[in-house]
Amino acid sequence: MSSPAARADLTVVCRDYAVTSGHPDSTGVGLEVLRAGGNVVDAAVATSLALGVAEPYGSGIGGKGMLLYREAATGKVYALEAMCQAPAGLDAEAFAKLRRRDRYYGYQAVAVPGLVACLGDAHRQWGSKPWEELVLPAADLADEGVVVSAPMYSLMRPKRNLLRRDDAAAAMFLADGETPAVGSRMKYPLLAETLRTIAKGGPRAFYEGPIAEQIVATCKAGGSPMSLSDLRDYRIRHVAPLEADWEGYHLAAAPPPLTGGTTVLATLKSLEGVAALHACTERDATYIDLVSRSLLALYPEITRTVADVPDAAEDAAWLVSDAGATAVRDAAERLDPASPETPALRSAGVTADDTADASTTHLIVADREGNIVCLTQSLSYHMGAGVVAPGVGVLFNNSMSNFSTRNPDAVNHVAPGKHERSTIAPVIVTQDGKPVLTLGIPGGQRIPTTTIQLLVDHLLLGAPLRETFDRPRFHVVRAASSSQPPNVVDLEGGSPAGLDAELEALGYRTARHTADGHYFGGGSAIRWTGDGLEAVADQRRTNDAAGD
């Protein structure tokens, strides 16, 4: 099985603490906070804000986040859900009638951002360093600029036509209407000033005052119902993580309204104790068939029940329970891959995370005692809605596209004040009360399927962590329309040549995708060793790992 040669600087072994993120500049910021005596939450705040500068196509203060925090002293895992929120004044019926382009791009696609509130709440509860000290490194980075690498160029170039439509976005991210060349330095002076205002005024300076006023004025001029009260009243949700025991480990993951954690844990539970999976040594046809069957059985149930609705937490808990696992396993065994029954799924309608363009970014900060921040943050699409607030340099999310619009009775149907659904799936793994592994992956619908593969390969099959990231991946596509075949398995470049034929003999269709990070994302993980920590960053994008 061929794969690109791993770069040694993307795996680090350290004694006291480690940082991984989507870019070396943001990883370095977090590491300096730890070296200066900050804790993992301090370092995560600084890393997150710097990551929005260094990797602007993947996240930023105009977007969202899902944060898991493990407190070593108690062993408790906290979950901070900061998904973007539909404006309170939204006319849901009118929004549903918009052209797809207007629901996915531009100001009507913008939902109320949650990332700054998420970081602020985490810092208020668990941080130790002054807020201003943690924000200013991102402001300095925005002023100094970020050097465009080849992976950055390849991820940004497909968005140049989108960015040309908005004068402020074009001025911020293009050079003479084109993607800046590899080796050039991208500077963001307006964003730097916004970050300094947030540093001095605290997190609420993003949601109230001049920054908020400019954001609202810009969004309203573009047709959005966003109001000052939407920003002022936005609050993240402090929720219990979704948890399950699996193969001797305890897993904590993102709860509803996110679907990613439920998909990961429910799939793993349905495969617990399956001898055929235990016998696998690679991601071969048997492995892919077992995982695919569980996913195809689960997709309709998760789509039907998990979103920002009152019963979602209870429904998700059942799916990851022993009873739920048995039901999914039975359904998977009966399933014909060539024609699985997915009527509930198809009636829900396609959303942004079904597409290849959906993506995120991820960071982890952890220490040897087991204090952990595992944070996935996003603009929903690469470069979000493709629009920027003039004067403040904030690139906006397009998270309104994560709502469904076809069936008013669907749990994820768009509604005022509703939090979006997302496949984001950060995970923290413990065993006998001790930390074992934490990881997170970007990539839209590929997030849960990739996370499953990493957990199975490393924890169940014993593959080294570096190898689990470098192996070619697969994705079981969630059919979202009647015209889409329901049994497609996407294979990453480097997968064995005969795998397509083997899967087709089992009833699947296959498609190949290049191994360049566009489709299957990147991600990172940290595991605990007997002597400290091992941090691994995915080589598919600009990910980086560091520690002491």
Side-chain angles (χ1 to χ4, degrees):
M1 185 176 295
S2 63
S3 62
R7 298 208 319 263
D9 60 340
L10 296 185
T11 302
V12 299
V13 177
C14 41
R15 189 187 70 172
D16 295 321
Y17 44 70
V19 182
T20 68
S21 80
H23 195 278
D25 288 347
S26 51
T27 297
V29 165
L31 185 61
E32 287 306 310
V33 171
L34 292 171
R35 286 173 173 169
N39 63 27
V40 298
V41 172
D42 296 326
V45 170
T47 303
S48 170
L49 293 170
L51 184 55
V53 176
E55 198 187 36
Y57 45 82
S59 71
I61 59 175
K64 60 191 173 187
M66 178 68 226
L67 185 151
L68 298 180
Y69 168 62
R70 181 181 187 271
E71 185 178 58
T74 62
K76 183 174 180 179
V77 177
Y78 299 84
L80 276 59
E81 184 260 288
M83 294 294 99
C84 296
Q85 180 174 301
L90 178 76
D91 183 332
E93 185 176 349
F95 180 81
K97 292 178 179 178
L98 291 174
R99 293 178 302 173
R100 184 178 185 274
R101 186 180 74 176
D102 294 329
R103 287 186 282 111
Y104 277 53
Y105 302 106
Y107 291 100
Q108 293 183 93
V110 179
V112 183
L115 182 62
V116 175
C118 178
L119 300 177
D121 273 34
H123 177 262
R124 177 179 56 81
Q125 291 188 85
W126 305 297
S128 65
K129 291 284 189 178
W131 170 261
E132 184 173 9
E133 185 177 321
L134 305 175
V135 180
L136 287 178
D140 292 341
L141 181 61
D143 261 338
E144 295 165 4
V146 178
V147 176
V148 177
S149 64
M152 288 177 64
Y153 180 85
S154 69
L155 287 165
M156 294 178 69
R157 181 172 168 75
K159 292 296 187 179
R160 64 193 186 282
N161 287 334
L162 172 66
L163 297 172
R164 287 168 182 159
R165 300 177 192 167
D166 183 77
D167 290 343
M172 188 169 179
F173 296 111
L174 301 178
D176 296 325
E178 296 292 338
T179 305
V182 173
S184 61
R185 187 176 291 271
M186 297 182 68
K187 299 182 179 182
Y188 311 111
L190 294 176
L191 177 59
E193 286 305 307
T194 293
L195 288 167
R196 290 195 173 92
T197 300
I198 295 170
K200 184 176 181 179
R204 295 310 303 172
F206 180 80
Y207 294 93
E208 300 178 53
I211 295 173
E213 291 166 3
Q214 183 61 51
I215 288 174
V216 169
T218 303
C219 287
K220 278 189 173 295
S224 169
M226 189 87 69
S227 69
L228 287 172
S229 60
D230 285 321
L231 288 169
R232 183 191 66 233
D233 297 340
Y234 180 88
R235 296 293 184 273
I236 71 164
R237 296 171 178 173
H238 297 257
V239 292
L242 187 67
E243 299 184 78
D245 293 320
W246 170 72
E247 299 284 1
Y249 297 98
H250 185 76
L251 281 64
L258 296 91
T259 60
T262 306
T263 304
V264 170
L265 298 194
T267 302
L268 293 176
K269 287 291 290 184
S270 72
L271 295 168
E272 189 167 27
V274 174
L277 184 61
H278 280 260
C280 291
T281 58
E282 60 180 358
R283 296 170 188 166
D284 58 16
T286 298
Y287 180 124
I288 295 173
D289 181 45
L290 287 168
V291 173
S292 297
R293 287 175 175 272
S294 289
L295 285 166
L296 290 171
L298 273 166
Y299 281 157
E301 284 303 302
I302 292 174
T303 301
R304 183 179 64 82
T305 60
V306 180
D308 188 9
V309 292
D311 294 335
E314 182 178 348
D315 289 332
W318 185 83
L319 284 171
V320 305
S321 69
D322 291 339
T326 299
V328 172
R329 188 181 303 116
D330 290 345
E333 290 174 354
R334 296 192 303 268
L335 187 144
D336 176 6
S339 57
E341 298 177 359
T342 55
L345 175 61
R346 287 174 171 169
S347 67
V350 68
T351 59
D353 62 9
D354 290 293
T355 66
D357 205 13
S359 193
T360 59
T361 191
H362 189 78
L363 67 94
I364 305 171
V365 185
D367 62 28
R368 66 182 302 172
E369 286 76 27
N371 295 294
I372 305 165
V373 173
C374 188
L375 168 60
T376 305
Q377 56 191 54
S378 178
L379 296 171
S380 287
Y381 268 16
H382 283 298
M383 306 304 295
V387 290
V388 169
V392 296
V394 175
L395 177 65
F396 289 122
N397 68 82
N398 69 327
S399 293
M400 291 300 296
S401 61
N402 276 337
F403 292 107
S404 58
T405 55
R406 184 180 302 171
N407 179 6
D409 295 326
V411 293
N412 191 46
H413 191 74
V414 64
K418 196 170 187 175
H419 280 213
E420 58 171 320
R421 184 158 69 182
S422 173
T423 52
I424 285 173
V427 176
I428 293 176
V429 183
T430 57
Q431 187 175 49
D432 299 325
K434 297 180 180 179
V436 173
L437 176 73
T438 182
L439 59 82
I441 302 296
Q445 267 293 314
R446 282 75 61 202
I447 292 173
T449 52
T450 297
T451 302
I452 291 163
Q453 293 164 64
L454 297 174
L455 292 170
V456 167
D457 284 22
H458 182 61
L459 297 179
L460 184 64
L461 306 182
L465 190 57
R466 175 77 266 164
E467 183 181 330
T468 66
F469 273 84
D470 292 340
R471 286 178 173 179
R473 298 170 180 172
F474 67 89
H475 169 62
V476 188
V477 177
R478 183 178 71 177
S481 71
S482 58
S483 63
Q484 185 178 1
N487 60 342
V488 174
V489 174
D490 291 330
L491 299 174
E492 188 175 26
S495 297
L499 190 55
D500 303 74
E502 293 173 3
L503 289 171
E504 287 165 9
L506 294 173
Y508 298 97
R509 302 184 184 205
T510 62
R512 293 251 171 178
H513 293 264
T514 56
D516 61 2
H518 282 267
Y519 190 67
F520 281 95
S524 57
I526 294 176
R527 76 176 185 94
W528 279 255
T529 67
D531 300 320
L533 305 162
E534 179 189 29
V536 171
D538 200 323
Q539 60 186 320
R540 286 169 177 81
R541 293 188 180 175
T542 57
N543 304 282
D544 184 66
D548 287 333

